[in-house]
Amino acid sequence: MTIGQRVTAVLGGILMIMCSIIMLFFPEGSYGLIIEGYGLALIFGGIRLLIYYFRLARYMVGGNMMLYLGIIELDFGMFTRSLTEVPVYYLLLYLCGVHAFEGLV
């Protein structure tokens, strides 16, 4: 593990601890924080896959799959961020479906 990866892992851990403390003290705002966090994670993951495709994967065998996965993940991220008015039960079903889809792909 390089120094940059360690710093990134530590900063990610600190961010998660801060978010969990915020959710512990302000439970009414947790729903929006979870939606925003998961939506941003999907968007950044999709952008990362698209950058990977345009820089390297388009020359690989089966590299088009990275393009498709990047577009789908970016779309899921934007859709997730639009679910602020949906009841919690439907959001949980949606998240289970997204994780199942990503696991199958």
Side-chain angles (χ1 to χ4, degrees):
M1 189 175 226
T2 65
I3 293 174
Q5 290 173 334
R6 288 182 187 179
V7 169
T8 303
V10 168
L11 290 176
I14 291 170
L15 181 68
M16 281 190 208
I17 290 171
M18 288 173 35
C19 286
S20 65
I21 290 171
I22 290 170
M23 286 192 285
L24 182 66
F25 290 118
F26 303 106
E28 65 276 352
S30 299
Y31 180 69
L33 186 64
I34 291 170
I35 289 175
E36 291 297 321
Y38 190 65
L40 287 175
L42 284 171
I43 287 172
F44 288 140
I47 290 171
R48 183 185 54 84
L49 283 173
L50 290 174
I51 289 172
Y52 175 67
Y53 170 76
F54 287 117
R55 294 187 77 200
L56 181 69
R58 64 179 161 178
Y59 303 114
M60 295 181 350
V61 174
N64 288 339
M65 183 62 74
M66 294 298 132
L67 175 66
Y68 303 143
L69 288 176
I71 291 171
I72 289 171
E73 195 166 337
L74 189 65
D75 185 43
F76 277 149
M78 287 188 268
F79 180 69
T80 301
R81 290 196 47 167
S82 71
L83 293 176
T84 55
E85 301 298 322
V86 176
V88 178
Y89 182 73
Y90 294 126
L91 179 69
L92 290 175
L93 288 175
Y94 166 73
L95 291 178
C96 288
V98 167
H99 285 296
F101 177 75
E102 286 182 4
L104 288 174
V105 171

